[in-house]
Amino acid sequence: MPSRDPQTGEVPGALYEHHAEMCKVFSNATRLRILNSLREGEMPVAAIAGKLGVTLGAVSSHLLMMKRRRVLLSRKQGNQVFYRLANPKMLQAFDLIREILYEQIKQEGLLARGLERERARKR
């Protein structure tokens, strides 16, 4: 549970700022694909790029952004840089958001089919 100010009981504003910065990671489809790829474990940059079909330059900029937000950790081995999740709990947030989206898509599909049936009855 986040620490609260003992006088006001409020969560410090800086925590909200860090939260917002962390959420920026989830605002890009390529970064989401990178996170999902790293679910399997540490990978070198070239392998991530190859797996996603993205250029090295593009994937490198996303990796750097996520490293700056402390979502990823890296290590260098020879001329390769390997990335891994800084905290596997990140995948719990990833999976929860995905589950919510699946539920919304399913509900929207049910609503759309219901509307289509209603239109068909009126014809």
Side-chain angles (χ1 to χ4, degrees):
M1 212 25 101
S3 60
R4 296 182 180 271
D5 183 298
Q7 294 179 355
T8 65
E10 293 288 316
V11 175
L15 185 58
Y16 287 113
E17 292 298 323
H18 288 295
H19 189 157
E21 285 298 310
M22 176 79 68
C23 286
K24 288 179 183 176
V25 170
F26 290 113
S27 69
N28 179 280
T30 300
R31 289 192 292 268
L32 292 173
R33 292 174 64 209
I34 291 169
L35 286 174
N36 201 47
S37 293
L38 292 173
R39 173 185 302 271
E40 300 165 9
E42 182 181 75
M43 294 176 70
V45 176
I48 296 168
K51 184 173 185 171
L52 302 181
V54 178
T55 66
L56 278 173
V59 82
S60 292
S61 66
H62 288 295
L63 291 167
L64 181 60
M65 178 268 204
M66 291 191 285
K67 183 178 175 182
R68 286 182 178 154
R69 285 175 172 77
R70 295 184 304 260
V71 171
L72 300 180
L73 297 173
S74 68
R75 71 174 177 88
K76 192 164 182 160
Q77 182 177 330
N79 63 353
Q80 292 189 76
V81 180
F82 290 78
Y83 282 88
R84 69 183 182 279
L85 296 170
N87 187 331
K89 288 181 183 178
M90 176 66 62
L91 294 174
Q92 292 173 349
F94 179 98
D95 292 341
L96 181 59
I97 292 168
R98 178 66 51 90
E99 188 177 318
I100 291 166
L101 289 171
Y102 281 141
E103 289 173 4
Q104 287 177 340
I105 290 167
K106 183 178 177 183
Q107 185 62 34
E108 289 169 2
L110 291 173
L111 291 173
R113 284 192 292 277
L115 288 172
E116 288 172 11
R117 283 192 298 271
E118 187 65 29
R119 281 189 198 141
R121 278 187 241 147
K122 289 182 179 181
R123 290 183 187 168

